[in-house]
Amino acid sequence: AKMPSFVIEGGGALPVQTPPGVCTAGLCVFTATECVRHSHLSGKVVNESEESYVQERVGDVEQNCLARAEANWRFCGSVPWLPVEMMFQPSGRVAQYPLDSEVQSALAAATQPLTGRGDGLTVDGLWGQHTLQDTLD
């Protein structure tokens, strides 16, 4: 996984600055409300790695920047209901992975009742705690 080169802390306008020694037309950043594999990055705006700026030209080609959403989602732990957003400046265009529809489907699947009938044990919900005796009663 490519490590982000630095973190932009706090709110407000993003400073247009790239990693030291990299000269590009734009800035490529990502944000994740929750980044479970790297929790210190949760809720922060994180600049792409120097390697991505140099090899993938994420600071010059908007589409290359936005295409990094899936890679950064994997970097954060690949949790289906925790999307990552990429933003390219100066255009301000944003891309998200996974898409909202996929996030909603993942949330729905995670909260559906689970039922296993092979051994007579029924679990009524994801967080439910039911014993075999409860099922037989």
Side-chain angles (χ1 to χ4, degrees):
K2 295 177 181 175
M3 292 297 294
S5 55
F6 64 88
V7 177
I8 302 168
E9 308 239 10
L14 293 175
V16 179
Q17 57 185 28
T18 55
V22 175
C23 183
T24 65
L27 182 70
C28 182
V29 296
F30 78 89
T31 186
T33 303
E34 293 290 330
C35 185
V36 294
R37 281 183 57 210
H38 305 279
S39 59
H40 64 288
L41 300 178
S42 295
K44 296 197 167 86
V45 177
V46 183
N47 200 2
E48 267 297 339
S49 66
E50 183 175 345
E51 182 180 343
S52 293
Y53 275 97
V54 173
Q55 293 181 359
E56 298 177 43
R57 300 187 59 226
V58 298
D60 293 310
V61 182
E62 179 183 83
Q63 195 53 43
N64 292 3
C65 171
L66 300 180
R68 296 274 309 140
E70 183 176 0
N72 283 309
W73 174 74
R74 292 186 192 292
F75 173 79
C76 280
S78 305
V79 180
W81 52 85
L82 296 176
V84 167
E85 284 190 347
M86 297 301 303
M87 183 171 63
F88 181 79
Q89 283 200 336
S91 72
R93 189 157 292 153
V94 174
Q96 175 182 305
Y97 189 90
L99 299 173
D100 282 336
S101 58
E102 294 166 335
V103 170
Q104 294 306 318
S105 295
L107 280 171
T111 57
Q112 271 185 350
L114 304 174
T115 304
R117 303 238 182 242
D119 59 1
L121 175 65
T122 301
V123 179
D124 294 326
L126 188 62
W127 309 112
Q129 195 169 24
H130 301 277
T131 65
L132 181 56
Q133 189 59 48
D134 291 337
T135 304
L136 297 175
D137 288 347

